Amino acid sequence: MSSLWRGSISYNKYTQIAARALRQSLQENQRVAAEKRGLTILRYQKWENGVGGQQVLLNQPTEGKA
Amino acid sequence: MLARQSLARARGPAVAAAAAPTQARNMATLREIELRLKSVRNIEKITKSMKMIASTKLAKAQRAMQAGKQYGVANAEVFEHTPSETPAKRKLFVVVSSDKGLCGGIHSSVTKQTRRVFADKDSVVEKDSPIMVIGDKSKAQLSRALPGNLVMSFNQIGRDIPTFADAAGVADLIISSGVEYDSVAIVYNKFVSAISYESAIIEVDTEKALQEAPGFKAYEMEDDVTKDLAEFALANAIYAALVEGHACEQSARRNAMDNASKNASDMISRLQMQYNRGRQAAITNELVDIITGASAL
């Protein structure tokens, strides 16, 4: 069976999604401990000619506020 | 100080004018010394508590580092068996530091290492090689030193122990950014001991370099899987560097706050001595005045 995700997302993204699914399926105690391992509040910005662009959150929060 | 002042008074009215400001100056400096003493005491409390916090964080960070390094070691296994024939001309430098300060020379250590590689005339690395920075402090330093090479920067990593999700996010952004490079060089701080660190570089090959390497044929992997391996290897290496850099930062912060507390307590004892001497001198002067006045009657 060829992988369906191959064209649209990278391998890292694929493993992160699979890991998130696994974490959400654990029992309560283990889930709380595992959720911490999946946290990321990464922000990035692109630079052109020594000038930085807008800072963008990698995972947009569901509340809609950047 | 007392002898000098009585001498000044004995010399006559011409020098009496000089004596009065000295006395006034002493009273004023007594207040100043008191204020300084209070503020240095506050600073000592703050740096001591920061040192305690950094110590507890260091223990946790070191444990995470031991676990994370295993990823880096397993990662490097494949690359050891498949060395590349041609040295990489265009390297992508990923500089790993953090957003917070008060941690000694962590950020400047990585920045200096990057600048050294670029300044080195003998290296084959192209001078317009792209640089990506993790952490605001190094970003500020590098945007002043090598502004043209900066391509992307990341922050909000390093507040707590870095997670693999952070590393995977960074690796994803690097690959999807479309920057051209032959290999990735991750510049980070290597944890030598609890009181010392040094900057080091991890090299990660790209998918193309892996496929062209002669030793790779022995693994007999499909192209798709090679691409996955290259991406995963990049995330692994970034994770190992992030975790080790975090541990170095906590240990450097602890040492810096330890030194600051020691300096502060030295300053406190010195100022305390000065204050006591000044207080006693003021009291003695008043006594002398009273006694001279009394004996004149």
Side-chain angles (χ1 to χ4, degrees):
Chain A
M1 182 183 94
S2 71
S3 316
L4 298 166
W5 53 269
R6 204 166 274 290
S8 39
I9 52 176
S10 72
Y11 179 71
N12 286 323
K13 195 89 184 79
Y14 163 63
T15 46
Q16 289 302 306
I17 294 172
R20 194 177 66 199
L22 181 65
R23 272 181 226 121
Q24 285 169 347
S25 69
L26 292 174
Q27 277 193 344
E28 194 54 39
N29 297 349
Q30 282 85 341
R31 190 182 63 81
V32 167
E35 285 293 336
K36 293 201 190 90
R37 290 197 285 268
L39 274 181
T40 170
I41 46 172
L42 183 62
R43 271 198 329 203
Y44 67 97
Q45 63 178 147
K46 304 214 164 136
W47 285 68
E48 295 268 335
N49 299 329
V51 176
Q54 187 74 358
Q55 291 211 355
V56 182
L57 266 174
L58 184 59
N59 306 321
Q60 295 294 344
T62 48
E63 295 90 56
K65 185 176 178 301
Chain B
M1 192 159 69
L2 183 56
R4 240 180 285 135
Q5 278 191 308
S6 14
L7 224 53
R9 226 169 286 134
R11 246 178 278 150
V15 206
T22 324
Q23 208 170 2
R25 210 191 325 137
N26 273 345
M27 286 314 291
T29 53
L30 213 57
R31 195 55 49 87
E32 285 172 13
I33 295 176
E34 203 181 331
L35 284 173
R36 269 199 90 182
L37 208 50
K38 216 171 14 158
S39 74
V40 178
R41 278 213 188 99
N42 279 341
I43 290 183
E44 200 225 357
K45 279 198 202 110
I46 292 171
T47 52
K48 217 181 244 183
S49 68
M50 282 188 78
K51 177 191 158 197
M52 287 290 120
I53 294 173
S55 300
T56 44
K57 281 196 182 172
L58 174 63
K60 203 168 152 212
Q62 259 187 288
R63 265 177 287 140
M65 182 185 74
Q66 299 301 340
K69 270 172 96 131
Q70 305 300 329
Y71 278 87
V73 162
N75 203 32
E77 190 82 18
V78 172
F79 294 110
E80 263 168 47
H81 294 279
T82 63
S84 175
E85 302 255 272
T86 54
K89 291 239 179 45
R90 195 171 165 80
K91 284 194 194 170
L92 169 66
F93 287 90
V94 179
V95 181
V96 170
S97 83
S98 86
D99 302 339
K100 298 216 180 99
L102 290 180
C103 47
I106 291 281
H107 311 298
S108 43
S109 149
V110 230
T111 318
K112 270 190 215 153
Q113 175 75 327
T114 317
R115 289 175 70 177
R116 234 177 287 149
V117 174
F118 274 84
D120 185 10
K121 297 212 177 27
D122 301 331
S123 73
V124 291
V125 178
E126 284 174 21
K127 288 297 171 254
D128 63 343
S129 289
I131 300 181
M132 293 192 183
V133 192
I134 302 178
D136 285 333
K137 294 282 170 186
S138 270
K139 175 181 82 176
Q141 292 172 352
L142 279 171
S143 67
R144 267 178 280 132
L146 300 159
N149 303 58
L150 214 47
V151 178
M152 214 192 303
S153 72
F154 308 87
N155 53 15
Q156 310 295 336
I157 292 186
R159 285 231 189 134
D160 205 350
I161 313 255
T163 59
F164 194 81
D166 290 326
V170 171
D172 229 9
L173 282 165
I174 291 178
I175 290 167
S176 62
S177 70
V179 179
E180 308 233 329
Y181 50 87
D182 298 328
S183 86
V184 182
I186 305 175
V187 189
Y188 71 112
N189 284 310
K190 200 181 172 70
F191 191 88
V192 173
S193 79
I195 48 171
S196 80
Y197 58 88
E198 58 180 11
S199 55
I201 303 186
I202 304 180
E203 298 256 358
V204 183
D205 285 327
T206 52
E207 175 205 352
K208 207 158 53 82
L210 266 182
Q211 280 169 341
E212 286 165 13
F216 198 64
K217 307 281 191 290
Y219 284 104
E220 290 182 0
M221 299 219 310
E222 297 173 5
D223 285 341
D224 278 345
V225 186
T226 311
K227 185 156 166 295
D228 292 344
L229 175 66
E231 292 175 1
F232 189 58
L234 181 61
N236 256 338
I238 292 177
Y239 178 64
L242 276 176
V243 170
E244 197 158 354
H246 181 78
C248 286
E249 185 198 333
Q250 296 304 329
S251 88
R253 185 167 292 128
R254 198 199 58 178
N255 293 335
M257 291 298 107
D258 190 23
N259 287 335
S261 308
K262 275 202 204 101
N263 290 338
S265 54
D266 283 344
M267 275 182 91
I268 286 173
S269 45
R270 201 166 37 84
L271 282 171
Q272 192 69 45
M273 282 287 122
Q274 226 178 327
Y275 181 72
N276 284 338
R277 257 184 274 124
R279 194 172 50 84
Q280 286 162 352
I283 292 171
T284 318
N285 283 335
E286 283 183 34
L287 277 173
V288 168
D289 286 341
I290 292 168
I291 291 169
T292 348
S295 66
L297 287 172

